[in-house]
Amino acid sequence: MKIAVIQFEPIFNQKDKNLSKIHSYINNIDAQLLIFPELCLTGYYFLNREEVNEVAETSNSDFIMELQSLSSRINKGIVLGFPEKDYKKQYNSCCVILPDENKSRIYRKTHLFYKERFCFDPGDSGFFVIDYPEWDVNIGPMICYDWRFPESARTLALKGADLIVCPSNLVTNVWQSALSTRALENNVYIAVSNRIGSETRNGETLLFNGDSTIYDYKGNVLVKAGPDDEKVIKVDIEPKKTRLKSFNEFNDIFKDRRPDMYKIK
Amino acid sequence: MKIAVIQFEPIFNQKDKNLSKIHSYINNIDAQLLIFPELCLTGYYFLNREEVNEVAETSNSDFIMELQSLSSRINKGIVLGFPEKDYKKQYNSCCVILPDENKSRIYRKTHLFYKERFCFDPGDSGFFVIDYPEWDVNIGPMICYDWRFPESARTLALKGADLIVCPSNLVTNVWQSALSTRALENNVYIAVSNRIGSETRNGETLLFNGDSTIYDYKGNVLVKAGPDDEKVIKVDIEPKKTRLKSFNEFNDIFKDRRPDMYKIK
């Protein structure tokens, strides 16, 4: 199975331009699953709920329906971050659109970063995993700052994820070794799709650091983009290899767990 | 507060020789807390319960009592791995002996590695944290393979640890970046005391990789020993600095957690 991560610079509040670029990528990249950055439909740095509300999409909007048609027609999966609205609620979401539309779902970011709390509600989708038999893969999404909490990737892995997809708009570098650890400690692939460029609002500039990376299930970097280049990185993965959680005759990193000894509250 | 990690080569089944060396270190190192490797009283590679039983110590043995007296007399804390027996049970344990004997406790390794299952029972102490007001520090012990499970360090941090001490007999190198991540994701210091040398039993050799490291609460390496040198590494730490879990005006890595979204079973 071939996956691709698309690192680019979405333009703030220019949905049509961004969407046109996204469609072009989807049509031209030769891979089964395409992973785009967080909020790449609209750009990132909203200041309040009203700004988000003006550009947010519902789960049955034309934007989603068209991606679904395209996905089904060309048999490619699409993971892509966008602002979602649902009645009075607003979420920092990503769609996981798969050729079989019955499998497509939307993940709503669980852990909100920085000023996102003024724009979005905390996600209520929870961490879920989509099994996709055609490609023999189990896909689990998380978004950006979710990386900071080992429980995010752990929850996805315990629910069966082989591949964690992580659309991001990262503004630091500390995530890099941590996401390698998340891959290692769970024995899963992780694909981080980060954006590049910067956005300035009210005199504050956020610089997005690129370095999009696909890690193998031992935490090794398989392929990595640069810090500021528009780039597509691709790699073949073998999802089912992640399912063997033992690493010697006696140890299995899942069976060895002792949940009664763990405190999470 | 100054802490020291002692990296050395315990000699298998030579308790007197090892203990004499340990006492010499305790008397001569200028630090408040001394952290020795896993099972450094006896060496590591036991093959069965009977072998362990012959050399294991009880929690009120002379060995422990003498360390307690020494600790109280010279006002130094001692973390040290030893095989423990308690009636029919046997544990891969470490004592956390503090000058105030009411604070001293024994941690029993939660996650057993490789052939330890033929020698020890899974630890039943659970993860605990000792607050030590005299040094204004909260100390949480884990042992070696416990590193592999993010829940170990997480549990200690959520119980208030400022400093995680990790006596070890590590035989790989993959722990190094993972323990940096454990420090970062929990905002705690971590002191890994690994042994050096090798042990061969029944034709199988285990090579212990040294590289003992003290990490700060951002995951940076403060000081590190080499892969095969007998060495004491020391550093001053500021435990209370770990207690501020926020890193900007809006985010706090503990308050941002959403335990209802996490699966641990």
Side-chain angles (χ1 to χ4, degrees):
Chain A
M1 176 186 184
K2 196 184 286 294
I3 64 172
V5 161
I6 298 91
Q7 173 170 299
F8 76 109
E9 179 173 2
I11 310 303
F12 188 70
N13 252 345
Q14 305 224 9
K15 271 166 81 169
D16 291 347
K17 198 174 270 188
N18 295 329
L19 192 54
S20 153
K21 187 163 211 166
I22 288 163
H23 275 266
S24 166
Y25 273 128
I26 295 170
N27 281 304
N28 292 309
I29 297 171
D30 176 30
Q32 280 147 306
L33 187 66
L34 312 181
I35 303 139
F36 291 86
E38 179 184 14
L39 290 176
C40 69
L41 178 65
T42 55
Y44 177 80
Y45 201 0
F46 298 101
L47 296 178
N48 54 55
R49 295 182 69 92
E50 292 68 34
E51 283 189 358
V52 171
N53 189 57
E54 280 178 30
V55 294
E57 300 280 352
T58 62
S59 61
N60 61 353
S61 64
D62 289 347
F63 154 69
I64 293 288
M65 293 301 129
E66 285 165 15
L67 284 181
Q68 182 62 63
S69 303
L70 182 58
S71 168
S72 301
R73 192 168 73 245
I74 64 178
N75 201 35
K76 293 178 185 172
I78 303 157
V79 178
L80 189 152
F82 70 101
E84 184 192 3
K85 61 182 165 190
D86 184 5
Y87 299 97
K88 298 277 184 203
K89 299 279 192 178
Q90 298 179 172
Y91 303 101
N92 181 338
S93 294
C94 74
C95 53
V96 182
I97 294 182
L98 292 158
D100 174 355
E101 68 183 341
N102 296 315
K103 293 289 189 175
S104 298
R105 290 185 68 174
I106 289 171
Y107 168 68
R108 295 166 168 173
K109 188 175 185 179
T110 301
H111 304 94
L112 297 181
F113 184 72
Y114 200 47
K115 297 181 183 171
E116 290 171 25
R117 66 193 59 218
F118 304 124
C119 306
F120 299 104
D121 296 285
D124 61 354
S125 64
F127 295 104
F128 59 80
V129 172
I130 304 173
D131 72 303
Y132 205 70
E134 188 187 332
W135 300 332
D136 194 9
V137 66
N138 298 296
I139 303 166
M142 63 186 200
I143 297 178
C144 202
Y145 182 55
D146 287 334
W147 76 264
R148 195 70 170 75
F149 305 85
E151 295 89 348
S152 306
R154 188 60 136 192
T155 297
L156 290 170
L158 289 173
K159 289 185 172 183
D162 310 313
L163 167 65
I164 292 176
V165 291
C166 187
S168 298
N169 280 190
L170 291 150
V171 293
T172 69
N173 291 306
V174 289
W175 57 273
Q176 301 198 18
S177 63
L179 279 165
S180 163
T181 298
R182 302 275 173 268
L184 171 77
E185 71 199 8
N186 294 300
N187 206 66
V188 295
Y189 290 97
I190 300 186
V192 181
S193 181
N194 195 21
R195 62 163 287 180
I196 53 171
S198 65
E199 290 182 7
T200 301
R201 302 295 311 279
N202 274 1
E204 184 181 31
T205 299
L206 295 182
L207 177 65
F208 304 99
N209 288 327
D211 283 335
S212 296
T213 306
I214 303 174
Y215 301 88
D216 74 10
Y217 52 89
K218 296 300 173 203
N220 301 306
V221 172
L222 289 175
V223 57
K224 184 173 178 174
D228 53 13
D229 50 343
E230 180 162 348
K231 178 142 188 174
V232 177
I233 54 175
K234 286 195 288 189
V235 74
D236 286 307
I237 65 168
E238 300 178 87
K240 75 176 130 195
K241 287 212 170 170
T242 66
R243 294 169 205 166
L244 181 71
K245 302 296 185 187
S246 66
F247 62 93
N248 64 36
E249 204 177 334
F250 307 107
N251 287 109
D252 177 301
I253 59 166
F254 276 14
K255 290 187 190 145
D256 289 346
R257 295 176 70 252
R258 299 188 61 197
D260 292 346
M261 297 294 195
Y262 306 152
K263 170 187 167 74
I264 62 163
K265 298 285 180 183
Chain B
M1 176 186 184
K2 196 183 287 294
I3 65 173
V5 161
I6 299 91
Q7 173 170 298
F8 76 109
E9 180 172 3
I11 309 303
F12 188 71
N13 253 345
Q14 305 224 8
K15 270 166 80 169
D16 291 348
K17 199 173 271 187
N18 295 331
L19 193 54
S20 153
K21 186 163 212 167
I22 288 164
H23 275 268
S24 166
Y25 272 129
I26 295 170
N27 281 305
N28 291 310
I29 296 171
D30 177 30
Q32 278 147 309
L33 186 66
L34 311 181
I35 303 139
F36 291 86
E38 179 184 14
L39 291 175
C40 68
L41 178 66
T42 55
Y44 176 80
Y45 202 178
F46 298 101
L47 296 178
N48 55 54
R49 295 183 67 93
E50 293 67 35
E51 284 188 359
V52 171
N53 189 57
E54 280 178 28
V55 295
E57 300 280 351
T58 62
S59 61
N60 60 355
S61 64
D62 289 347
F63 153 69
I64 293 288
M65 294 299 129
E66 285 165 15
L67 284 181
Q68 182 61 64
S69 305
L70 182 58
S71 168
S72 301
R73 194 169 71 245
I74 64 178
N75 200 36
K76 294 179 186 172
I78 304 157
V79 178
L80 188 151
F82 70 101
E84 183 192 1
K85 61 182 165 189
D86 184 7
Y87 299 98
K88 297 278 183 202
K89 300 279 194 179
Q90 298 179 173
Y91 303 101
N92 180 339
S93 295
C94 75
C95 53
V96 183
I97 293 182
L98 292 159
D100 174 356
E101 67 184 341
N102 296 316
K103 293 288 189 174
S104 299
R105 290 185 67 174
I106 289 171
Y107 168 68
R108 294 165 169 174
K109 189 176 185 177
T110 301
H111 305 94
L112 297 181
F113 184 72
Y114 201 47
K115 298 181 182 172
E116 291 171 25
R117 64 195 59 218
F118 304 125
C119 306
F120 299 104
D121 296 284
D124 61 355
S125 65
F127 294 104
F128 59 80
V129 171
I130 305 173
D131 71 303
Y132 205 70
E134 189 186 332
W135 300 332
D136 193 9
V137 66
N138 298 297
I139 304 166
M142 64 185 199
I143 296 177
C144 203
Y145 182 54
D146 287 333
W147 77 263
R148 196 69 170 73
F149 306 84
E151 296 89 347
S152 306
R154 190 58 137 192
T155 297
L156 291 170
L158 288 174
K159 289 185 172 181
D162 310 313
L163 167 65
I164 293 176
V165 291
C166 187
S168 298
N169 280 189
L170 291 150
V171 294
T172 69
N173 291 306
V174 288
W175 57 272
Q176 300 197 19
S177 63
L179 279 165
S180 163
T181 298
R182 302 275 174 269
L184 171 76
E185 70 200 8
N186 293 301
N187 206 65
V188 295
Y189 289 97
I190 300 186
V192 182
S193 181
N194 194 20
R195 64 163 285 180
I196 53 171
S198 65
E199 290 181 8
T200 302
R201 302 296 310 279
N202 273 1
E204 185 181 30
T205 299
L206 296 181
L207 177 65
F208 304 99
N209 287 328
D211 283 334
S212 296
T213 305
I214 302 174
Y215 300 89
D216 74 11
Y217 51 90
K218 297 300 174 203
N220 301 306
V221 173
L222 289 175
V223 58
K224 183 173 179 175
D228 54 12
D229 49 343
E230 180 162 348
K231 180 142 186 172
V232 177
I233 55 175
K234 286 195 289 190
V235 74
D236 286 307
I237 65 169
E238 300 178 86
K240 74 175 130 194
K241 286 211 171 172
T242 67
R243 295 169 204 165
L244 181 70
K245 303 295 186 187
S246 66
F247 62 93
N248 64 35
E249 204 178 335
F250 307 107
N251 287 108
D252 177 301
I253 59 166
F254 276 14
K255 290 186 190 144
D256 290 345
R257 295 177 71 252
R258 299 188 60 197
D260 292 346
M261 299 292 194
Y262 306 152
K263 169 186 167 74
I264 61 163
K265 298 287 180 180

